Each structure stands twice: as structure tokens, then as C-alpha cells.
Amino acid sequence: MTTLKTKLHLHAAFRCMVFASTAAIALSVANTATSQQPAAAAATQNEVVAVVNGTSLSRKMLGEEALRRHGEDVLESMVNKYLILQACKQHNITITNKDVEDEIQRIAGKFGLSVDRYLQMLQQERKIAPSEYRRDIVWPMIALQTLVAKETQVTPEEFNKAFDSQYGESVKCRMIMVGKQQVAEQLHARASADPAQFGQLAKDFSEDEASASVRGMIPPVHRHTSDPKFEKVAFSLKPNEISAPFQIADQWIMLQCVKHLPAMHPPAQQIAAIRQQITDRIRDQKTRVSGTELFQKLQQQAQVVNVLSNPELRKQYPGAAALINGQQLTLAQVIAETLKRHGVEVLDGEINRTLLEQELKKMNIQITQEELNAEVARAAESYGFVTADGKPDVQKWLADVTSEQGVSQELYMQDAVWPSVALKKMVAGQVKISDEDLRKGFQSNFGERVEVLAIVLSDQKSAQQVWDMARANPTEEFFGQLAEQYSIEPVSQSNLGRVPPIRRHGGQPAVEDEAFRLQPGELSGIVATGERYIIMRCQGRTNPIVAEMDDQVRDQLVRDLTEKKTRIAMAEKFDELKTASQIDNYLAGTTQDGRLAAVPAAEKR
């Protein structure tokens, strides 16, 4: 039962890499898989890859599941690498191991890491083994760079523009964006009459949600980084001056200049490194464009037939996954490569699914298609996919979720819906909503909130210094200036300390307790939460959204709290199942003895 979210992250990570492809076996020996001895093939297929509470999971089953989930992507990447290999041969290009190691060292250096630390990070965070990274990502990248090297030279003009965009002068602005010229003209008249209200107008009327939430503040405008018209207007403004509305695409925009920021002058000893960084970045950008164009050309010139995705062709070419210029890339090769890349991940999902199946059998619970359909309808409704008459729009939801997550409807039902229904039935009747739950839920959702200005710091020493300054000059204006200068949190930093009002039971008890103790104008102490240190200045309290809990509010709270507590119970149930199980994962090389989990700590000694 691999979670859909986890699968999506891995799926997206591989797809986003530049031709993250692997053939592993040259096409010249593509047919060798079909010539293996039948006994050896059967032994490989029947090899046990895991045992879950006595239930064996075979490599054949795992290969089929891995192929269902990742086969198309792996096949595409194998074909891609073959085409790149052929192009390199035609141009007498050879990529050596030293070339690969030098490129890895260059990339690691960009992040300030040693090669060992960089490769370790890739393995831990992206689940990419060093050998896979060298062979399947770095090699194709270098090959494409070499093939398009003449087209990716960086000119002095390109370098100068990039340097200016990064270190040159910039303009800090607020922005209002709307879709209609008439609305823009009306807002311009109001802003021109009282420029101090520009931020409030942006908050209330701008259709750009990201900047509206911070009263129109946008990142500093640099040259050569956005629309030339936008940059020209920004740089033409004086501090506090408001531009006339101007059109870009189908939007009408107004800018208010906050201040001009001078150009930065890096120390002389850093210039060489900066020049290399900028040059590398431009070359990488040009390589992506030229490499894409070259690869499209290679694809157009090649004759590639995807057998895997076509049931009729699979009957016609049994054992083949694709035909490349008439040569077969076998299904066995694709399965082997898919297991190499995704086997551990997919096996973990199958182990989880087996645990659920075993528990369902033990509890004598059956899952019906009607229950699966009801769960899909519930998900559709909870995410706002409803028809005009208020019913769940299941078809639209399925189309959206499968498209966004890059999975088939069948896999969505198997990997997301079925486990949810299974766990929900296992914990049925365990979830109770108490009066205390309702009280806290009502306070959190409908009760009063504290309006504060906030400064977020990363260490105790800085927090103490900023707190001392705020106490010495206890004005709202000065606190806002401190937030702009010192806060490491983007919203408070760009909005003079303003943050969303703080509610009860919102998940940050230390912050909430301190905020609700404050009186208007009072400075808080330093609140440590996680790795952050927060200083607040109280502005007052909001009125409760709803004064009393009527039946409608109670019903809404019961639904929301039941859903939340059910999810928690489901997670706890699954953790309990996994902890108490005997799991031997031969692919990952791990063993878990669930019997030990049930033994008291004193007895284990």
C-alpha cells in the first residue's frame, strides 16, 4: 500500500530530471533475455522477495506491480538513452568515467557539499543510488551537453545581462493586478488620492492572490528577469510614486515604488566564483533548450514502436516492450530496470497491502465495490467537486486526481481508495466526539482570535537582540521596521510584521498561550517553537465569528472532528499492524520481528 502522495513525489522527481534515462543493457544484446533457459527464468520469477507473517511475495508479482506503476516511464527513458547513445556514436563522442566524476564534483560544489555528502543526500532524500545517478542521470546529461556544445557557448552580452539581473540595482514595489481596465482606473484614482492606502487596496481588490495576501508586496524587480514593460515601469518610479495602469497580456497592473535598492558589489575575491556560477547557469539553460530540440530531432528520425502500452501489439510481439528501428527492447529488460529503480518502493507498498489483507481476513471484514465508490464520492465532495445540484462530481474528481498525480484510475483505486476504506472499516466504532472536542473545535473555528505583529528569528541570540530593541522603542511602526529588517519568515518580513490572526487550538500551543495573554500594544516574551523564536506585538482581538454553537454549527463540527479523529485512528491502527508483524524484506535486506514488539521492555533485557 504505497501512499499515492509518496508515489507521486518519486514519480515526479524522476520525470523532471533531464532525460533521466537508463538502458542498462545495449540493444545489441536485447534478445538475450528471451534465450535464457526456461528453468532459470522460472526460478527468477518465483524467487521470494519478502515474507509477511508467513505470506511469501514473489519477484514475478513484484515485477508485474512495478511495471504497472512505472513501466511506461522506465521504457521511455531506456529508449531515450538508446537514442542518445546512437547520436554519440555517430559523432565519435565518448563520455568517460572521469567526465562523469568531474561533473558530479561540479554539481556538488554548487551546493557547497563534498561529493560523498551530495551522493548521500540524493540517496536519502530522492532514493537515487550513486550508481544509478552516475549512469542514468549524469551520463545522459553530459552526452547531451557535448552533442550541443557549439550551440551553448556563453557570450559576453549574455553574461553581463545575467550579472546585472542578479547584482544590479532593483526596485522594491507593491502591485495591484486586476482583469478589467475600468476597475484598474477606479483603483488608480483611489490610490493616487491617498498613496498610503495602496497596500490596503491591494489586499482588498488585487486578483493576484500571492501578493494580495501581503498587501501587494512583490519580490524586488531586477532588470532582465521579467516582462520588459513591467521592468521599465518599475524603474521609472520614484519612492511612493504610483504608476498609471498598464496592460500585460489580459491583466491590468499598477505599481507603487517602495524604494530603489542600489547595485551590489561583490568582493573582488568572489568575482571568479560568481563568474563561473553565472556562466554555468546560462550554459545549463541553453543546454536544456538545445538538448530538447536535439532530442526531438532524434525522436523524429528514429522509428520507435511502443509495444508495452498497446495490447494488440503485445500479442503480435510477445516478450517485447518496444521496437527501436526494428530491434526489440524486451519486456524482461524493462521489468529488470523497473525493479532496479523502483523495486524497494513498490515492494514496501505490497508489504503494506498484504498486512491490510491479512488483518481484514482476521477481522472477517469484506470490502465491497459500493464502499469503494462511496469513498471516492466522499473525497470528491470534500475537495469541492460537486455538481450543480450539490451532489459529488465523481467523474470530474477522478479525471482531476488521476491527471494531477499521473496515475491510472485503477491504480488510484488500488493504492489510495482501497487502503482508506480498509483502515476506516477496521477502526469503525472507535471514534468518539466528546463535549471537550466540540468546545475546542468551536473555539478554533469560530472563536475570537488575536491580531498580532510578529518577528520570526532563527536563533536565541538574534531573538534576544531584537526583543531588546522592540522593548526600548515600543511603537507599532518601529516593530514593523524590525520585522522588515530581521524576520526570516516571508509574510511577516515583507508585510511589516503583519500575519494572520492567531486562533485557539491551531497547532502551536506555546504561541497561542502567549498571544492570548497579551493586551493591545503589549510586547510578548520570546516564544521558542521548533527551531524558530517568535516575538509578537498585540494589536487586539477579533470578534467571534459565531457567538453560540447552534445545531448547524454542531453538525459541521461533528463531521469535521469525526473525519480528523478517524484519520488519526487509521494511522495508529496501521502503525500497530506494522509494528506487530514479522516482515522479512529480502530486497531491502531488512528483517522485523513483530513478536519482540509485544514483549515488555524489562523482558527484552
Side-chain angles (χ1 to χ4, degrees):
M1 183 196 64
T2 303
T3 65
L4 205 58
K5 183 177 180 181
T6 301
K7 295 179 69 171
L8 171 61
H9 286 173
L10 290 170
H11 178 78
F14 279 95
R15 290 195 61 171
C16 289
M17 292 175 182
V18 181
F19 303 125
S21 54
T22 174
I25 305 171
L27 260 289
S28 59
V29 294
N31 292 319
T32 57
T34 59
S35 61
Q36 295 176 338
Q37 293 295 326
T44 300
Q45 289 180 348
N46 294 326
E47 178 185 342
V48 174
V49 291
V51 179
V52 183
N53 295 325
T55 300
S56 298
L57 305 182
S58 71
R59 180 174 292 273
K60 180 177 183 297
M61 175 280 301
L62 180 62
E64 292 171 350
E65 293 300 326
L67 192 69
R68 289 176 62 206
R69 289 163 175 78
H70 304 287
E72 288 290 344
D73 287 337
V74 171
L75 173 61
E76 180 181 1
S77 67
M78 293 175 76
V79 172
N80 290 349
K81 187 171 184 182
Y82 172 74
L83 297 179
I84 295 171
L85 278 167
Q86 292 302 103
C88 287
K89 288 181 180 179
Q90 292 173 6
H91 292 83
N92 295 318
I93 291 174
T94 300
I95 308 300
T96 66
N97 289 336
K98 185 178 184 304
D99 294 330
V100 172
E101 296 305 320
D102 288 346
E103 179 65 12
I104 294 175
Q105 188 168 13
R106 183 184 76 85
I107 296 172
K110 289 169 62 176
F111 296 101
L113 299 172
S114 67
V115 170
D116 289 345
R117 180 69 188 96
Y118 176 64
L119 293 175
Q120 182 183 35
M121 181 192 71
L122 286 175
Q123 179 131 25
Q124 291 175 345
E125 298 184 8
R126 297 276 191 95
K127 310 301 181 188
I128 303 173
S131 59
E132 179 186 352
Y133 181 65
R134 290 182 170 93
R135 183 191 70 232
D136 303 335
I137 297 172
V138 178
W139 186 95
M141 181 171 62
I142 298 174
L144 282 171
Q145 288 174 348
T146 307
L147 286 166
V148 299
K150 293 181 180 179
E151 305 168 31
T152 58
Q153 297 300 313
V154 179
T155 67
E157 181 182 6
E158 290 170 334
F159 174 83
N160 291 336
K161 282 186 176 181
F163 186 90
D164 192 29
S165 70
Q166 187 168 343
Y167 294 99
E169 62 178 349
S170 59
V171 188
K172 192 171 185 179
C173 294
R174 294 185 188 274
M175 178 183 75
I176 296 175
M177 177 186 292
V178 294
K180 295 182 179 180
Q181 182 179 7
Q182 182 180 2
V183 175
E185 297 289 354
Q186 292 171 351
L187 292 172
H188 180 260
R190 293 177 62 179
S192 298
D194 186 3
Q197 293 299 309
F198 192 98
Q200 186 64 38
L201 292 172
K203 175 178 176 290
D204 293 340
F205 299 104
S206 182
E207 296 173 13
D208 178 64
E209 295 179 359
S211 60
S213 65
V214 288
R215 298 179 182 272
M217 194 67 73
I218 59 175
V221 181
H222 293 261
R223 298 189 190 277
H224 317 300
T225 58
S226 57
D227 186 282
K229 185 177 181 180
F230 190 97
E231 294 175 10
K232 183 178 180 180
V233 172
F235 278 92
S236 70
L237 298 174
K238 298 176 182 179
N240 209 39
E241 185 179 0
I242 297 171
S243 74
F246 60 96
Q247 187 177 19
I248 293 181
D250 59 349
Q251 297 294 314
W252 287 87
I253 297 170
M254 281 181 294
L255 297 177
Q256 181 186 43
C257 175
V258 176
K259 60 182 176 180
H260 284 257
L261 303 174
M264 293 180 284
H265 301 285
Q269 61 268 28
Q270 295 181 10
I271 294 297
I274 290 172
R275 176 176 291 277
Q276 187 63 53
Q277 291 172 358
I278 292 176
T279 300
D280 288 346
R281 185 173 69 246
I282 297 172
R283 184 183 295 114
D284 289 345
Q285 292 170 348
K286 296 179 76 173
T287 297
R288 281 194 291 271
V289 174
S290 298
T292 299
E293 293 174 351
L294 170 63
F295 191 74
Q296 289 174 345
K297 183 178 179 181
L298 294 177
Q299 286 181 314
Q300 292 169 357
Q301 292 174 345
Q303 294 182 349
V304 180
V305 178
N306 186 330
V307 178
L308 181 63
S309 61
N310 190 318
E312 293 301 318
L313 288 177
R314 291 185 69 169
K315 294 177 183 177
Q316 187 176 349
Y317 300 98
L323 303 176
I324 307 175
N325 296 328
Q327 290 185 295
Q328 280 196 16
L329 180 62
T330 69
L331 194 60
Q333 286 176 286
V334 176
I335 291 175
E337 188 60 35
T338 305
L339 287 176
K340 188 184 298 181
R341 292 196 200 179
H342 304 289
V344 172
E345 165 211 341
V346 176
L347 179 56
D348 188 54
E350 292 308 307
I351 288 172
N352 294 344
R353 185 178 183 87
T354 301
L355 289 172
L356 293 182
E357 290 174 339
Q358 290 172 342
E359 185 66 10
L360 289 172
K361 184 176 181 180
K362 179 180 176 181
M363 297 177 68
N364 197 27
I365 294 175
Q366 301 291 326
I367 295 179
T368 66
Q369 186 61 46
E370 289 74 15
E371 290 169 331
L372 295 174
N373 294 340
E375 175 65 15
V376 174
R378 185 206 61 78
E381 185 175 19
S382 67
Y383 282 94
F385 285 79
V386 293
T387 61
D389 57 358
K391 296 180 180 179
D393 193 337
V394 172
Q395 293 307 314
K396 188 174 181 181
W397 162 248
L398 287 173
D400 183 85
V401 70
T402 55
S403 173
E404 180 182 333
Q405 298 178 350
V407 297
S408 67
Q409 183 173 319
E410 179 186 11
L411 283 177
Y412 168 67
M413 296 295 290
Q414 178 175 321
D415 293 346
V417 179
W418 185 88
S420 294
V421 174
L423 284 165
K424 194 172 291 187
K425 294 193 73 173
M426 289 178 194
V427 300
Q430 297 181 17
V431 174
K432 308 294 183 183
I433 305 300
S434 67
D435 290 341
E436 180 67 5
D437 292 330
L438 288 172
R439 184 187 68 80
K440 289 182 177 180
F442 182 77
Q443 283 186 341
S444 179
N445 289 279
F446 303 106
E448 67 175 356
R449 304 184 183 192
V450 183
E451 293 184 320
V452 300
L453 302 180
I455 304 172
V456 183
L457 291 308
S458 61
D459 61 88
Q460 177 74 43
K461 182 179 179 181
S462 298
Q464 187 64 56
Q465 292 172 345
V466 172
W467 187 85
D468 289 340
M469 289 188 285
R471 184 176 65 167
N473 186 352
T475 65
E476 181 174 316
E477 181 181 4
F478 185 67
F479 192 95
Q481 292 172 0
L482 291 175
E484 183 178 38
Q485 184 174 357
Y486 293 103
S487 184
I488 63 171
E489 191 274 322
V491 173
S492 57
Q493 188 272 337
S494 63
N495 208 28
L496 299 176
R498 290 182 177 84
V499 294
I502 296 173
R503 58 176 176 158
R504 284 287 192 188
H505 314 298
Q508 292 185 300
V511 174
E512 295 162 21
D513 289 345
E514 182 71 8
F516 276 87
R517 279 197 291 263
L518 298 175
Q519 297 299 317
E522 186 179 356
L523 182 69
S524 76
I526 299 172
V527 182
T529 173
E531 298 179 354
R532 297 288 184 261
Y533 298 84
I534 301 172
I535 303 169
M536 295 175 284
R537 188 181 194 279
C538 181
Q539 293 183 294
R541 299 197 181 190
T542 66
N543 293 321
I545 300 174
V546 176
E548 297 182 1
M549 189 189 309
D550 58 21
D551 290 342
Q552 184 177 359
V553 170
R554 177 182 289 272
D555 290 344
Q556 179 182 337
L557 285 173
V558 168
R559 285 195 301 271
D560 293 345
L561 289 169
T562 300
E563 178 69 19
K564 181 179 179 180
K565 295 188 76 170
T566 297
R567 291 294 168 185
I568 294 173
M570 290 163 63
E572 291 174 347
K573 177 65 177 179
F574 181 72
D575 289 342
E576 174 190 323
L577 286 177
K578 198 157 190 177
T579 301
S581 295
Q582 171 73 35
I583 303 172
D584 298 303
N585 186 327
Y586 303 127
L587 205 61
T590 60
T591 295
Q592 172 188 304
D593 191 343
R595 294 169 297 182
L596 295 178
V599 177
E603 294 183 26
K604 291 180 183 178
R605 299 194 193 99

